[in-house]
Amino acid sequence: ERLGLVVNRRESHYLIPTDPDVTGLRGVEAPPGFLFVRADEVEEARLRVLDDALRQDVPGTEGWNWDEAGFREEFEAHSFDPATYLVAVDEATGDYAGIARVWQNPVLPRLGLVAVLPRHRRRGLAKALLAPVFAVLHERGQAEVSTEVDDTNVASRSLVLGLGARRAGGSVELVRRNPASPDDGKA
């Protein structure tokens, strides 16, 4: 604080079990009117737009917008696994409603995002998206998946804790306020 630094964000790191008997995800299916499609089977441009829209509600990624090339690189990366990257599709409209994606990292799989557009929330869609993704991981012998959650994100914290997650650490993002720039306050 004496150096002009202030806490901008706090994030907790969690380990979530993949066993459906532990998470309570055994038998959880897509809510009526939705189907889940692998990311390599949907229209990439529409998925990019959905990803951008979902990130607007994720603390620390507000204002994020993918460019075409950057988004394409995500699918070409070694960590991309179509079996662990699902898109929820509204059967009536064909609209994309949500995403669950786990990246296959060398040490431990990482839940990079589980999110649902506001108009489709409160139906159990996020939890249902995780059920088949975690089932794949569990069948492969991957007992846990890591993730990070902003400490102010009550819904996401509740979701992962409800799945039996345990906190494994955290991080604090500090920023130095720029006294010459009172508008946004960040240096």
Side-chain angles (χ1 to χ4, degrees):
E1 289 178 347
R2 288 182 309 201
L3 297 173
L5 299 173
V6 295
V7 173
N8 189 52
R9 289 181 61 225
R10 292 180 190 273
E11 197 172 70
S12 290
H13 300 235
Y14 294 97
L15 295 175
I16 310 169
T18 60
D19 184 336
D21 293 325
V22 175
T23 61
L25 294 176
R26 185 172 304 282
V28 174
E29 296 181 2
F34 291 92
L35 61 99
F36 299 156
V37 182
R38 291 169 28 147
D40 63 344
E41 297 173 341
V42 299
E43 189 178 321
E44 185 178 316
R46 290 179 59 207
L47 180 56
R48 187 179 74 247
V49 169
L50 172 65
D51 191 282
D52 286 343
L54 292 171
R55 285 175 182 262
Q56 302 317 302
D57 286 340
V58 177
T61 64
E62 307 92 342
W64 177 272
N65 283 299
W66 281 107
D67 64 26
E68 235 177 277
F71 194 69
R72 165 95 328 255
E73 286 175 17
E74 293 288 309
F75 290 93
E76 295 168 353
H78 69 280
S79 57
F80 170 70
D81 180 353
T84 62
Y85 191 146
L86 297 182
V87 180
V89 179
D90 183 324
E91 291 181 291
T93 64
D95 292 342
Y96 297 172
I99 293 173
R101 69 169 161 246
V102 171
W103 299 115
Q104 293 299 318
N105 293 332
V107 176
L108 195 64
R110 179 178 167 270
L111 174 60
L113 180 67
V114 58
V116 175
L117 290 172
R119 70 181 174 272
H120 298 293
R121 291 181 185 157
R122 305 274 182 239
R123 301 178 191 180
L125 199 49
K127 194 172 182 178
L129 275 163
L130 289 175
V133 170
F134 282 14
V136 167
L137 297 170
H138 183 66
E139 289 167 10
R140 292 177 180 168
Q142 295 169 309
E144 293 180 314
V145 60
S146 69
T147 197
E148 309 83 34
V149 177
D150 187 284
D151 288 350
T152 65
N153 190 333
V154 175
S156 292
R157 270 193 5 255
S158 296
L159 175 64
V160 301
L161 292 172
L163 297 172
R166 63 183 168 80
R167 190 173 187 279
S171 60
V172 177
E173 179 183 305
L174 301 171
V175 296
R176 185 172 189 179
R177 299 292 179 195
N178 183 351
S181 177
D183 292 338
D184 74 357
K186 295 180 187 174

